[in-house]
Amino acid sequence: DLAVTNPQNLSTCNTGAASYNFDLTINNEAALGIDNATYDVVYYESQADILANNPISAGSLNNYPSIGGQTIYIKIFNYSW
């Protein structure tokens, strides 16, 4: 089993904006305590997206828009196999 540090919950103050931008890479390999040479973290908007292999695009990870109250799912791939 892979030991992983719990990811951080991302939050912001409600200023009345229609959406807010989040840096999802705060929960990257280093933050999760895993080796980025061996593992890759991939981010998804839903469990259905995980099953369909439809990740959030890499270009959106540093500035991901959300209206709030959203769960982002991560999947960790092992590339050493």
Side-chain angles (χ1 to χ4, degrees):
D1 289 344
L2 178 63
V4 177
T5 303
N6 285 333
Q8 295 180 39
N9 287 325
L10 307 180
S11 61
T12 189
C13 293
N14 184 347
T15 62
S19 76
Y20 302 91
N21 293 326
F22 296 90
D23 182 359
L24 301 181
T25 64
I26 288 172
N27 289 312
N28 64 11
E29 292 83 2
L32 298 175
I34 57 177
D35 182 3
N36 68 349
T38 304
Y39 300 98
D40 193 21
V41 176
V42 181
Y43 306 81
Y44 298 87
E45 292 181 329
S46 68
Q47 292 177 338
D49 284 340
I50 292 172
L51 294 174
N53 195 28
N54 184 30
I56 297 170
S57 71
S60 298
L61 296 178
N62 293 98
N63 202 24
Y64 179 77
S66 174
I67 60 171
Q70 181 177 7
T71 298
I72 299 296
Y73 299 87
I74 63 171
K75 189 172 183 180
I76 300 171
F77 289 93
N78 180 340
Y79 288 109
S80 66
W81 291 54

